[in-house]
Amino acid sequence: MAEPLVCVDDFERFAFQVLPRNALDYYRSGADNQSTLKDNVAAFKRWKLAPRVLRDVSSLDLSTTILGHKISFPVCVAATAMQRMAHPDGEVATAQAAQAMGTAFTLSTIATSSLEEIAQGAPRVLRFFQLYIYKDRDITRQLVRRAEKAGFSALCLTVDTPFFGKRLADNRNKFKLPPHLKLANFEGLDFKSSGMSSAKEGSGLNEYAASLFDPSLTWKDIDFLKSITNLPIVLKGILTAEDARLAVDAGVAGIIVSNHGARQLDTVPATIDVLPEIVAAVKDRCEVYLDGGVRLGTDVFKALALGAKAVFIGRPALYALTYNGAKGVESLLQILQQEFASAMALSGCASVLDIQPCMLRHQTTFP
Ligand code: FNR
Ligand code: LAC
């Protein structure tokens, strides 16, 4: 009888044993020497919890809101591409798990399930669409229209990817999407009107990016996006106070403090370490979320104590999807929910509103 999986790392260990190398290396890789990949996780350990005692924690409320929508606890699913490499149900299964757990799901543009399949497979899930703005703005318009029609509640514009970071293992593996899978969101796109050919199926990620991504994007393109939709816009990939202020000035609804799971520019700081400066810069003028390295309930607690409204998880959901599809992701989210509840109660917090910066100490503050 196999042992039950009881923590996020158990799902990672399982996935590392069973995933084919092409997919596994794509999922787990960070950019270049992967120093930020390691630091995203290690940095959380440098923040120490400072619990308060003799506070009534007999009844806990883990819920919060994100963009005005209530979620059962402050852990959402990040956009990660090509999930059908992990399980035949792919992104639909992940969305179903988020739906079952009452939290938000983000669909990657580079998904192996379409906007419409998510709407059909998980009609009640709070769903965000992760977007790149393409060279051909008509492709962007087509995708945004489809997201609106498919009941997506926000656009998550990724701003740290003019092109993809260097992932050494993918280059060695000559990573390609397995031929039986498709970039589903591109199936229904009318490239003809844009005079551009779609990224050839089975092409490598870098060729895909080179043919579609626009490295000339600037802050004025936020106005373009706002001109074609009324959906709230969240910027994903902000790592400095300067850009956080520009994001607020651009009128976005939220920012995700993210280094793309350390897959873009290696040796940037861990997201938890830059969160405080960004929260201070934003001054509550938009919501601030965090992703990168969240593996424990205490990590969730620490991010909230430093000012994040919620966190997003990427790789843990992929590994849980590998383990057992929708049920696997649901059990992972349950584990994180229980761990977060424990971190709250043992820190003297009955609700997320009780979580304060004074409940953390950075290890450098100890003699
Ligand atoms: C990603 N990420 C990502 N981000 C994005 O904006 N669009 C995308 O298509 C993808 N695809 C993707 C694939 C894989 C395999 C990974 C690991 C990551 C980044 C993702 O949204 C998120 O920022 C990180 O995954 C968060 O870090 P953790 O939780 O994986 O440590
Ligand atoms: C990645 C892209 C798909 O990180 O965002 O692989």
Side-chain angles (χ1 to χ4, degrees):
M1 168 74 174
E3 284 181 344
L5 276 55
V6 298
C7 66
V8 168
D9 285 353
D10 283 347
F11 291 90
E12 178 179 286
R13 279 185 279 272
F14 177 87
F16 280 23
Q17 285 164 5
V18 303
L19 276 172
R21 197 57 190 264
N22 181 58
L24 174 58
D25 281 343
Y26 173 69
Y27 287 157
R28 67 179 170 188
S29 288
D32 298 308
N33 295 335
Q34 307 189 112
S35 59
T36 299
L37 181 69
K38 299 177 194 69
D39 203 33
N40 268 351
V41 173
F44 278 103
K45 314 295 180 267
R46 298 194 289 265
W47 289 92
K48 305 301 181 190
L49 293 166
R52 307 304 300 275
V53 298
L54 293 177
R55 292 181 170 203
D56 179 0
V57 291
S58 57
S59 144
L60 301 179
D61 177 3
L62 309 183
S63 69
T64 187
T65 61
I66 181 168
L67 299 176
H69 302 275
K70 186 169 180 181
I71 51 177
S72 64
F73 74 124
V75 177
C76 305
V77 179
T80 53
M82 306 187 206
Q83 296 188 8
R84 286 188 199 269
M85 293 195 299
H87 185 278
D89 298 340
E91 294 85 353
V92 174
T94 310
Q96 289 169 340
Q99 176 176 276
M101 289 299 293
T103 193
F105 164 79
T106 315
L107 180 69
S108 163
T109 292
I110 312 172
T112 39
S113 310
S114 68
L115 292 150
E116 294 78 13
E117 286 174 300
I118 299 300
Q120 193 172 21
R124 295 183 314 286
V125 72
L126 173 58
R127 44 193 182 271
F128 305 149
F129 182 51
Q130 176 273 319
L131 188 69
Y132 298 102
I133 294 182
Y134 294 101
K135 283 181 197 127
D136 177 345
R137 299 297 192 263
D138 194 52
I139 296 178
T140 305
R141 279 192 194 85
Q142 289 178 58
L143 285 166
V144 169
R145 287 291 160 268
R146 284 172 54 196
E148 290 169 338
K149 221 168 131 215
F152 282 70
S153 303
L155 297 177
C156 179
L157 177 63
T158 297
V159 293
D160 60 10
T161 311
F163 50 84
F164 292 123
K166 182 179 179 185
R167 295 92 184 250
L168 304 186
D170 286 352
N171 291 352
R172 292 191 186 106
N173 298 339
K174 294 188 174 37
F175 172 75
K176 284 196 177 3
L177 182 66
H180 70 288
L181 298 175
K182 295 238 176 283
L183 297 184
N185 285 316
F186 286 81
E187 291 294 287
L189 276 186
D190 169 14
F191 283 93
K192 288 182 295 304
S193 68
S194 65
M196 272 182 74
S197 66
S198 72
K200 289 185 302 307
E201 296 305 346
S203 63
L205 214 50
N206 295 324
E207 294 82 2
Y208 161 88
S211 70
L212 289 170
F213 286 13
D214 183 352
S216 71
L217 280 189
T218 64
W219 287 95
K220 70 174 176 13
D221 291 297
I222 307 298
D223 294 335
F224 156 73
L225 195 53
K226 289 172 73 174
S227 74
I228 65 168
T229 184
N230 293 322
L231 286 179
I233 296 166
V234 172
L235 297 193
K236 174 174 184 283
I238 300 287
L239 282 176
T240 63
E242 294 84 346
D243 279 345
R245 279 189 283 271
L246 289 172
V248 171
D249 295 346
V252 299
I255 61 178
I256 303 179
V257 178
S258 175
N259 50 39
H260 211 109
R263 295 162 68 80
Q264 288 300 103
L265 183 57
D266 196 23
T267 72
V268 296
T271 51
I272 192 68
D273 285 340
V274 295
L275 179 62
E277 81 170 66
I278 289 172
V279 168
V282 167
K283 297 190 180 69
D284 292 328
R285 292 173 293 169
C286 75
E287 294 191 340
V288 178
Y289 319 111
L290 172 136
D291 76 18
V294 174
R295 301 292 182 269
L296 293 162
T298 49
D299 296 339
V300 182
F301 185 94
K302 292 173 182 176
L304 267 67
L306 292 174
K309 194 83 170 42
V311 301
F312 287 74
I313 56 167
R315 293 178 181 88
L318 288 170
Y319 300 148
L321 183 64
T322 305
Y323 172 64
N324 188 20
K327 283 291 167 221
V329 180
E330 190 176 341
S331 55
L332 174 109
L333 289 169
Q334 282 168 343
I335 288 170
L336 273 174
Q337 187 176 57
Q338 288 150 10
E339 289 184 357
F340 175 61
S342 166
M344 272 179 55
L346 297 180
S347 296
C349 299
S351 104
V352 295
L353 300 175
D354 296 336
I355 301 174
Q356 302 297 325
C358 63
M359 295 172 174
L360 286 191
R361 303 279 189 281
H362 195 268
Q363 70 178 18
T364 50
T365 59
F366 297 114

